[in-house]
Amino acid sequence: MSEPSTCGQGLAESAALPAGLAQVADAMAGMLERHMVALDLADPRSAAEHGVYGEVAAAHRRAADQLRAAAERMDAQRELPMGPHDMAAVAHPDTTRAFQTLVDAKRHLLTLLRDTADEDDAMLEMMRAPAHDSDPH
């Protein structure tokens, strides 16, 4: 076994970030899936909403899978033989693949979050509307 690597160790320790983001993506998918169960599929609008939320939930699951893969690849860098300033080792193909997976997954998750933010705002307004309607003031 090689001597522990300073750069690889740092990369391995950073694996907590994509692992945590994977948990967020999974939680969002779970929330959407729970919402889908409550929809009345006999109502055409609800049926359409069900399909959209199903696609978004699946996209969140794919992003979570990518993020977990990035975390695993980053954690595996712990064993790479490299010194603290060894740029050749930092540019190792496994390291590059790990970072590329992380970057792709983060961009995908960011796009999903941005694309669903307006829908989330609309849902909040709809949820708050009954409280405003019953307010006697």
Side-chain angles (χ1 to χ4, degrees), residues 26-51:
D26 274 331
M28 291 182 69
M31 179 189 68
L32 290 167
E33 290 161 352
R34 285 188 297 280
H35 177 70
M36 290 167 60
V37 170
L39 292 171
D40 176 10
L41 298 181
D43 173 38
R45 184 173 174 204
S46 292
E49 186 179 345
H50 186 275

Side-chain angles (χ1 to χ4, degrees), residues 25-117:
D26 274 331
M28 291 182 69
M31 179 189 68
L32 290 167
E33 290 161 352
R34 285 188 297 280
H35 177 70
M36 290 167 60
V37 170
L39 292 171
D40 176 10
L41 298 181
D43 173 38
R45 184 173 174 204
S46 292
E49 186 179 345
H50 186 275
V52 169
Y53 279 121
E55 290 174 18
V56 174
H60 276 80
R61 295 278 184 212
R62 286 191 300 273
D65 289 344
Q66 285 181 312
L67 286 159
R68 273 190 291 279
E72 290 168 10
R73 288 182 180 143
M74 290 170 74
D75 189 58
Q77 303 311 304
R78 181 183 318 271
E79 299 302 319
L80 279 181
M82 59 177 98
H85 304 291
D86 185 351
M87 291 311 292
V90 170
H92 188 282
D94 289 344
T95 306
T96 304
R97 278 193 295 277
F99 273 125
Q100 186 64 55
T101 303
L102 173 62
V103 169
D104 291 347
K106 285 168 66 176
R107 282 193 177 122
H108 187 189
L109 183 58
L110 180 62
T111 299
L112 289 170
L113 292 170
R114 188 174 41 246
D115 289 351
T116 59

